[in-house]
Amino acid sequence: MILQEVIGRATVKFDLGPISDDPFRADLVVQALPGLAIVSGASVNIRAARTRDLLDDRDDLVLKVFTSGTGVASQGGREVTLRAGDALLMSAAETSMSATSSPSCFITIPLQRKAVASLVSRPEDALMRVLPGTNPLRLLVNYVRQLQTGVPLTTYELQRAVVTHVYDLAALAIGATSDGAALAESRGLRAARLAAIKADIRAHLGDPDLSLNAVAARQRLPPRSVQRLFADQDTSFSEFVLDARLTSAHRLLTDRLWDERNISSIAFEAGFGDLSYFNRIFRRRYGATPSEIRAAARR
């Protein structure tokens, strides 16, 4: 069976199978980074068992985060129930079982114990203890989602930085020491906050009320903190919004599904309220008018 042998035992090192005779589903996406493979998935009526024959010599940890639905997990004689927003730290060196009987979505992150221990005192104390949905955990989920849908990580240095950020956020969710928290907040937490802010902006590009104060309020940050995060990248909130709106307009102009929409409608969709300003700034950015870009895409 492909689910059990190819996906389960060979890829994610779990014995996968249905819980009952009812229809089952398992969709898994693996994102490979240097020394880290993040598994995001959706499942229903699936049991995943780490049996003794699938254990290896590594003493790693596994952080499982439920983003929707419910599930159960057991290890070392303990069983816990996970709900949307919860996370659980497990040992990859011991047998375990997890199951989702109802539709659920989750993220599984294997972590090297030594790397976690540099930020968290005695991470083993957190094993099989439900970690509630804190801000670092929410940012971790968003950060992983942005990795899957955002700009490709084309250099090794960028990939290594992302791995560090994931560890930082995981450590804060587990419970970092004071020194570990200070280091993690200066690295991973700042990167994740900026990623969340950028995702928020892209989701509200067409909103006429899109502003620094509105985004800061949704992200539960002071406006000045949002400004500093952009300043660290030698840009500003307004510059990023303009760039995102121009990128969105260019994408829509070259999308054949939008051929029936006129240019003013597309400009409004991207968040531009002034058509003359849009035409001027678009030409400055792309060296051609919106009409010329659309015509070139149709050839």
Side-chain angles (χ1 to χ4, degrees), residues 121-177:
S121 177
R122 295 183 55 81
E124 57 273 11
D125 289 347
L127 291 174
M128 296 304 295
R129 176 168 55 86
V130 175
L131 305 173
T134 59
N135 189 51
L137 189 59
R138 179 182 63 83
L139 288 171
L140 174 60
V141 170
N142 179 78
Y143 193 67
V144 169
R145 287 173 174 166
Q146 293 302 307
L147 292 178
Q148 296 170 345
T149 60
V151 177
L153 306 176
T154 55
T155 67
Y156 179 80
E157 291 74 17
L158 185 56
Q159 293 173 4
R160 286 300 309 170
V162 165
V163 171
T164 298
H165 297 160
V166 170
Y167 270 90
D168 287 340
L169 293 165
L172 290 170
I174 296 167
T177 63

Side-chain angles (χ1 to χ4, degrees), residues 55-71:
L55 298 178
D56 51 32
D57 296 330
R58 292 177 298 177
D59 188 23
D60 290 344
L61 303 169
V62 177
L63 183 66
K64 181 181 285 290
V65 186
F66 263 71
T67 56
S68 69
T70 60

Side-chain angles (χ1 to χ4, degrees), residues 200-208 210 241 244-245 248 269-272:
D200 187 308
I201 291 171
R202 294 189 184 101
H204 294 85
L205 283 179
D207 188 345
L210 176 62
V241 170
R245 281 176 165 162
S248 176
E269 184 72 23
F272 291 96

Side-chain angles (χ1 to χ4, degrees), residues 25-44:
R25 173 190 172 192
D27 297 324
L28 301 177
V29 176
V30 181
Q31 182 163 25
L33 295 165
L36 180 65
I38 302 173
V39 180
S40 301
S43 65
V44 58

